[in-house]
Amino acid sequence: MAGILVYALHDDEGNFNKNSLGAVSEAARLAGELGTEAAAVVIGDVADDKVAALGAHGATKVFRAKNVADGLAQPAVDVMAKVITDGGYDYALFGGGLLGLEIGAGLAARLAGGVTVEVTKVKVDGGSLVAERPILQDSEIADVTFDGGLGVIVGRLNAFEAKESGGSAAIEDIEVELSDFSSKSELVTRGEQRGEAVDIEAADVLIGGGRGLGEAEGFRACEDLAATFPNGAVAATRAVVDSGWYPYAAQIGQTGKTVAPKLYLAVGISGAIQHKVGMASSENIVAINKDENAPIFEFADLGVIGDLNKIVPALTEALKARG
Ligand SMILES: Cc1cc2nc3c(=O)[nH]c(=O)nc-3n(C[C@H](O)[C@H](O)[C@H](O)COP(=O)(O)OP(=O)(O)OC[C@H]3O[C@@H](n4cnc5c(N)ncnc54)[C@H](O)[C@@H]3O)c2cc1C
């Protein structure tokens, strides 16, 4: 039966990440509009009660390849290609992230499909899916359609909202013969950033730290400031994540997370478009920057021109004193 197939990534305990659950919810919504069904692929021996989360988010069927190791792209391409070929799926949907990009591209190449990445929204038009993809540094949106064959849509990380619909999915265990080249690499260890206590999406107040902090140690001042709020957390720009100053799990922007806290306090952040797209929906944006021409002042609600090394500790002390 034609429909939408989603790749669902899980951790070693079988918990699906929010990004994958968002993709399942989105596929279920779209499948409803298309009059078809959303299914998911799970790779690895994930217990039934964990797989149930996919049904609860709208998948009606889950294909589980118990004997295939999760975390590498090529085996996932083998599994998804088989399910798509056997079941005649029209679309494959991914929540995003590097693994999703890699599997999506491999799948399109394997099945001669079309692929579009960094998608922020998907809509139904004339019985087909149309993917909205920001272009020209996010200043314009391109509508991408597929000319028959498989359409592979890879979302921007966390672009799709995870919504529980309370349904349940039928689980089908499948055997997949891996291609020779798919068995040539082995996952040695996973980056465990997901295990870190960084939950920037749930925070009411985010202190965003940028290169202006000068060094990794500079983030301590942001953490002290975040700790003065009941639900505060620290976020980061790509520049500092690339420098190894702060974990990727905290990165905001085009290749990071999208957040909308009550208050986003940008400390030593220039306000590049790729950062802006991840935080511009914040209710209130306050920026501290020593450069009065910094682009962040163009969209901040309140701008403080000055040296963060003086302002941030003073602000922290003032907030602490207020209790
Ligand atoms: C394809 C692509 C994807 C990208 N994705 C992302 C993304 O997801 N997220 C992201 O953030 N970026 C992303 N970028 C990078 C982005 O273009 C910027 O380079 C990055 O956001 C800049 O980070 P920054 O503001 O920390 O550093 P900078 O641009 O170097 O800004 C540092 C700021 O600190 C200020 N400053 C310095 N010292 C002080 C001081 N003592 N007191 C006060 N202010 C001070 C400076 O005036 C400056 O404005 C991407 C780029 C590309 C090409």
Side-chain angles (χ1 to χ4, degrees):
M1 188 194 67
I4 306 172
L5 188 67
V6 177
Y7 170 74
L9 179 67
H10 55 85
D11 64 16
D12 293 340
E13 280 79 49
N15 300 307
F16 294 95
N17 70 1
K18 193 174 158 200
N19 191 40
S20 294
L21 294 175
V24 171
S25 302
E26 182 72 356
R29 179 185 73 80
L30 295 165
E33 285 189 45
L34 287 172
T36 176
E37 291 192 354
V41 159
V42 173
I43 298 177
D45 194 2
V46 179
D48 287 10
D49 61 330
K50 298 281 184 180
V51 172
L54 303 177
H57 284 80
T60 51
K61 183 149 198 184
V62 173
F63 297 93
R64 178 172 56 190
K66 275 187 180 176
N67 300 325
V68 178
D70 193 31
L72 287 173
Q74 284 303 336
V77 172
D78 285 348
V79 173
M80 291 189 77
K82 177 176 164 50
V83 173
I84 288 167
T85 309
D86 291 353
Y89 286 88
D90 297 314
Y91 299 98
L93 184 72
F94 296 83
L98 290 178
L99 190 60
L101 282 168
E102 212 180 327
I103 301 169
L107 197 55
R110 181 81 60 89
L111 298 178
V115 59
T116 184
V117 302
E118 286 285 309
V119 170
T120 49
K121 202 171 162 191
V122 187
K123 58 197 177 194
V124 174
D125 189 17
S128 303
L129 294 189
V130 180
E132 291 192 3
R133 185 207 196 295
I135 55 169
L136 301 172
Q137 295 203 327
D138 285 354
S139 59
E140 295 290 333
I141 302 282
D143 277 356
V144 181
T145 54
F146 299 92
D147 277 346
L150 177 70
V152 179
I153 298 172
V154 186
R156 184 173 277 183
L157 203 64
N158 293 320
F160 307 131
E161 197 186 337
K163 282 188 196 150
E164 291 212 37
S165 54
S168 64
I171 303 173
E172 183 178 330
D173 286 315
I174 54 169
E175 294 291 328
V176 182
E177 202 177 319
L178 297 186
S179 311
D180 273 355
F181 50 82
S182 298
S183 335
K184 295 244 185 287
S185 52
E186 188 187 333
L187 187 68
V188 179
T189 178
R190 286 198 202 220
E192 280 306 325
Q193 283 182 345
R194 72 163 66 89
E196 296 189 33
V198 180
D199 189 5
I200 56 174
E201 286 147 304
D204 288 328
V205 176
L206 271 182
I207 313 298
R211 195 150 40 193
L213 290 168
E215 53 174 345
E217 193 59 23
F219 268 90
R220 189 158 294 174
C222 292
E223 286 168 351
D224 289 346
L225 180 53
T228 65
F229 295 97
N231 188 16
V234 175
T237 65
R238 176 167 164 177
V240 299
V241 170
D242 285 351
S243 303
W245 296 0
Y246 223 63
Y248 173 67
Q251 185 183 313
I252 305 279
Q254 184 178 329
T255 42
K257 288 180 179 151
T258 303
V259 292
K262 290 185 180 143
L263 171 65
Y264 187 88
L265 177 51
V267 178
I269 292 177
S270 60
I273 179 75
Q274 296 90 350
H275 186 75
K276 181 183 172 188
V277 293
M279 44 66 79
S281 306
S282 305
E283 274 179 47
N284 298 286
I285 299 172
V286 177
I288 302 171
N289 198 302
K290 67 179 184 185
D291 175 7
E292 64 182 66
N293 295 315
I296 193 133
F297 289 138
E298 288 165 22
F299 55 93
D301 298 297
L302 176 69
V304 182
I305 302 165
D307 183 356
L308 65 88
N309 296 308
K310 292 184 183 146
I311 297 166
V312 174
L315 183 58
T316 305
E317 286 313 312
L319 286 166
K320 273 190 192 160
R322 229 182 48 166

